[in-house]
């Protein structure tokens, strides 16, 4: 039963189906219990790398193709940026950072020389964490006059605690994921995010990291599982070329370019995730 359920979840997620909305009773248990466990396993780095790649591709494909309604232009449309802006609130950034720091800490202690760790640590770096916290502090200060007008003591306390925690983050050693996890948790617990508009624009550095990571793991799965090739690159060389490109983009601080490479690869291969999965059934 576990195997068939696991495969069913993978297939549904790969087709962009939001299984978190399902509520099906299986042997007396709600399907959401199984899905929550699967999600936690992905976040904690306890599932095999193949499953993680599939999960990321499913989510990325959904962001690219799902029609989303925007009350500002009063229409449905698709697009990565549109989905990110309308479907994920401001706090989501910090949920992702907490999950990634936890995973990276586990991976580092398990095998710091592994390819998986070497690549994954390039995306949600300490600098990205700091920039995201800076953005939250700036967003809070932007409304500080309003806050102080109604609850001055609370606003001052939150700002002081958040700034103090942020200062401690700056002094952490590079790749000290455990300390950054603890400090980021403390930053969140100051309550600062409760006073930032949930529709506030997200930190650009965080968006770039999220976009790059999604593109990298989507490309990896497209190459290894869906027989895709990078543009003008042989199939057998595409996987290694992807890692070379990713390392090069990381050195020049342009990992966000992976998103454009992913879109080019989709066009080059005339790739459709749903059709590709149906072919393999």
């Amino acid at each position: 039963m576990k195997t068939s359920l696991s495969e069913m979840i993978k297939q549904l997620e790969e087709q962009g189906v939001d299984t978190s909305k399902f509520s099906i009773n299986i042997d007396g248990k709600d399907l959401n219990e199984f899905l929550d466990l699967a999600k936690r396993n992905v976040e904690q780095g306890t599932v095999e790398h193949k499953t993680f790649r599939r999960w990321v591709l499913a989510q990325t494909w959904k962001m690219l193709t799902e029609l989303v309604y925007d009350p500002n232009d009063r229409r449905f449309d698709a697009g990565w940026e549109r989905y990110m802006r309308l479907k994920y609130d401001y706090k989501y950034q910090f949920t992702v950072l907490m999950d990634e720091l936890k995973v990276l800490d586990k991976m580092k202690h398990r095998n710091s020389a592994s390819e998986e760790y070497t690549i994954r640590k390039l995306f949600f770096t300490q600098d990205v964490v700091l920039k995201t916290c800076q953005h939250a502090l700036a967003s809070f200060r932007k409304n500080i006059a309003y806050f102080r007008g109604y609850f001055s003591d609370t606003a001052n306390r939150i700002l002081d605690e958040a700034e103090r925690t942020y200062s401690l983050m700056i002094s952490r050693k590079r790749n000290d994921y455990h300390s950054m996890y603890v400090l980021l948790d403390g930053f969140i617990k100051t309550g600062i995010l409760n006073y930032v508009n949930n529709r506030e624009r997200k930190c650009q550095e965080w968006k770039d990291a999220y976009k790059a990571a999604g593109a990298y793991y989507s490309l990896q799965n497209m190459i290894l599982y869906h027989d895709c090739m990078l543009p003008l690159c042989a199939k057998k060389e595409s996987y290694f070329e992807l890692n070379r490109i990713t390392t090069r983009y990381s050195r020049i601080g342009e990992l966000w370019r992976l998103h454009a490479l992913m879109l080019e690869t989709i066009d080059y291969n005339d790739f459709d995730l749903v059709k590709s999965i149906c072919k393999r059934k």
Side-chain angles (χ1 to χ4, degrees):
M1 183 62 190
K2 288 183 179 178
T3 300
S4 60
L5 177 62
S6 175
E7 290 303 317
M8 179 183 70
I9 292 170
K10 288 179 191 176
Q11 290 179 14
L12 289 171
E13 290 288 0
E14 284 180 339
Q15 294 180 60
V17 177
D18 185 3
T19 54
S20 65
K21 304 298 184 185
F22 287 11
S23 181
I24 302 172
N25 191 275
I26 300 177
D27 294 338
K29 293 186 177 181
D30 194 285
L31 179 58
N32 282 320
E33 293 180 32
F34 294 100
L35 295 174
D36 289 342
L37 176 60
K39 184 174 184 294
R40 287 198 299 273
N41 286 340
V42 167
E43 292 163 352
Q44 294 167 10
T46 56
V47 297
E48 59 181 355
H49 193 58
K50 179 172 69 175
T51 302
F52 177 70
R53 290 196 312 263
R54 291 180 176 183
W55 185 75
V56 172
L57 175 57
Q59 298 306 310
T60 301
W61 189 258
K62 184 176 182 179
M63 293 181 73
L64 290 172
T65 60
E66 182 173 294
L67 294 175
V68 179
Y69 180 75
D70 186 343
N72 292 320
D73 59 23
R74 297 181 180 180
R75 64 188 177 90
F76 285 91
D77 206 347
W80 192 96
E81 290 284 351
R82 187 183 186 92
Y83 192 100
M84 170 60 70
R85 176 168 53 86
L86 295 170
K87 288 288 190 175
Y88 293 135
D89 63 20
Y90 192 82
K91 292 180 181 179
Y92 179 68
Q93 300 173 103
F94 292 85
T95 300
V96 170
L97 289 177
M98 290 291 285
D99 291 340
E100 282 297 310
L101 289 172
K102 184 188 296 183
V103 171
L104 287 167
D105 186 48
K106 288 179 179 290
M107 295 177 77
K108 178 183 176 182
H109 287 93
R110 188 184 307 141
N111 184 2
S112 62
S114 69
E115 177 186 288
E116 289 84 0
Y117 171 71
T118 301
I119 294 293
R120 190 157 178 171
K121 71 178 182 179
L122 299 178
F123 301 112
F124 293 98
T125 63
Q126 183 174 345
D127 288 339
V128 172
V129 176
L130 292 174
K131 289 288 187 181
T132 309
C133 290
Q134 277 182 8
H135 193 275
L137 286 166
S139 299
F140 184 88
R141 293 192 193 98
K142 185 172 64 176
N143 298 314
I144 202 72
Y146 172 82
F147 292 149
R148 284 181 173 156
Y150 289 90
F151 41 94
S152 178
D153 292 341
T154 301
N156 288 332
R157 176 185 58 77
I158 290 172
L159 186 58
D160 288 345
E161 289 181 7
E163 288 180 333
R164 187 162 54 250
T165 305
Y166 174 76
S167 296
L168 291 173
M169 287 184 189
I170 296 174
S171 65
R172 295 303 93 184
K173 292 181 179 179
R174 185 74 54 180
N175 299 336
D176 183 358
Y177 302 114
H178 178 70
S179 293
M180 288 298 289
Y181 178 89
V182 172
L183 289 169
L184 182 60
D185 185 50
F187 183 88
I188 295 168
K189 285 179 177 176
T190 63
I192 188 169
L193 301 182
N194 295 330
Y195 301 99
V196 175
N197 190 324
N198 250 339
R199 289 302 162 196
E200 180 82 26
R201 287 183 179 274
K202 298 172 184 68
C203 172
Q204 188 60 51
E205 288 78 7
W206 178 89
K207 272 179 59 178
D208 287 347
Y210 191 91
K211 182 179 285 188
Y216 173 79
Y217 290 110
S218 295
L219 281 166
Q220 214 184 39
N221 201 51
M222 287 164 61
I223 292 167
L224 295 175
Y225 186 76
H226 295 280
D227 299 323
C228 290
M229 300 177 288
L230 294 181
L232 306 178
C233 186
K235 171 74 171 67
K236 62 181 180 180
E237 292 295 326
S238 289
Y239 177 83
F240 302 103
E241 182 62 17
L242 174 60
N243 283 345
R244 285 192 288 267
I245 291 172
T246 300
T247 302
R248 184 168 74 249
Y249 283 166
S250 176
R251 282 199 299 265
I252 62 176
E254 296 182 353
L255 278 168
W256 49 269
R257 288 183 178 274
L258 289 171
H259 185 79
L261 177 61
M262 177 187 67
L263 296 179
E264 290 172 15
T265 304
I266 289 172
D267 288 341
Y268 184 76
N269 293 272
D270 194 22
F271 176 72
D272 184 297
L273 179 60
V274 178
K275 291 180 180 177
S276 181
I277 291 172
C278 289
K279 285 180 184 177
R280 293 178 171 274
K281 288 183 179 179

